[in-house]
Amino acid sequence: MSEPSMYVCRVDTPDGTKDYITLIPPETAFTQGLFPESIVGALLRPLEPGEAITPQNFARNSVFVKFMHTVIARHAPNEPGFQAEATRLGEGWIYIIDQRTPTPAGPVPPEDIIGAFEVKEGAVRPGSYRASDRHMILSPRGFFRLDQRLHSCLLRELMTLQSGAGQ
């Protein structure tokens, strides 16, 4: 899976120019505005032409991170593959792994574990989702990548918030 589309929205504020990173296309952001859940993070200083976004010049937005975890907690247990894995596992934990990880079938670095759900008697225990505080929204391997279904849920919920905010 390719990296999700991330956009840089440059905004002039009373404190100077700020570059915000968002999943919302700039044309939508500039017509309807940015809201806290739509801002993945901010750059510590504006990018120079041709400069890459790196973990050293990026600060994640805790409001977005909380929103992302809420979407995962709400939608992941309803995915057919997730339910099948809970049945197969029986007891234990199902981990949500960042798709950017180089070793999805082997040892996964802590920064690539997004969170986990507890499984009891072959079913996800309601309310058991635990977000990992070690997950990195942006690592040296790039921005986070949810699986296609969860990413679609995240975008859909962001666009629903965005359309409500623009009214």
Side-chain angles (χ1 to χ4, degrees):
M1 179 179 167
S2 62
E3 231 178 275
S5 294
M6 294 285 175
Y7 303 97
V8 177
C9 290
R10 183 162 279 178
V11 178
D12 289 324
T13 72
D15 297 328
T17 301
K18 298 246 184 215
D19 284 339
Y20 294 107
I21 310 303
T22 181
L23 293 167
I24 303 292
E27 56 275 8
T28 302
F30 287 119
T31 59
Q32 298 181 3
L34 286 172
F35 52 98
E37 293 85 353
S38 70
I39 300 170
V40 175
L43 298 183
L44 300 177
R45 59 178 173 68
L47 289 177
E48 298 296 328
E51 184 181 9
I53 299 170
T54 66
Q56 292 74 30
N57 68 6
F58 174 80
R60 72 184 188 146
N61 175 14
S62 62
V63 175
F64 169 81
V65 172
K66 182 178 178 184
F67 179 77
M68 179 185 76
H69 285 296
T70 299
V71 170
I72 291 168
R74 183 173 26 253
H75 293 284
N78 301 322
E79 296 296 328
F82 200 86
Q83 292 173 355
E85 180 61 14
T87 301
R88 184 199 69 73
L89 184 61
E91 301 285 328
W93 291 85
I94 296 177
Y95 294 90
I96 304 295
I97 305 298
D98 198 311
Q99 300 296 292
R100 70 177 173 218
T101 194
T103 55
V108 175
E111 67 269 14
D112 288 341
I113 299 171
I114 297 171
F117 290 88
E118 187 175 11
V119 175
K120 293 275 190 190
E121 299 176 6
V124 175
R125 203 176 112 241
S128 68
Y129 180 71
R130 299 292 175 258
S132 170
D133 58 0
R134 296 183 68 190
H135 177 250
M136 291 178 67
I137 291 293
L138 175 62
S139 81
R141 290 185 307 284
F143 280 101
F144 74 98
R145 289 190 298 228
L146 298 175
D147 72 33
Q148 183 112 22
R149 289 177 186 237
L150 286 177
H151 184 75
S152 294
C153 291
L154 179 62
L155 287 178
R156 188 171 50 252
E157 291 210 23
L158 281 172
M159 294 311 283
T160 298
L161 274 178
Q162 187 70 29
S163 63
Q167 293 178 0

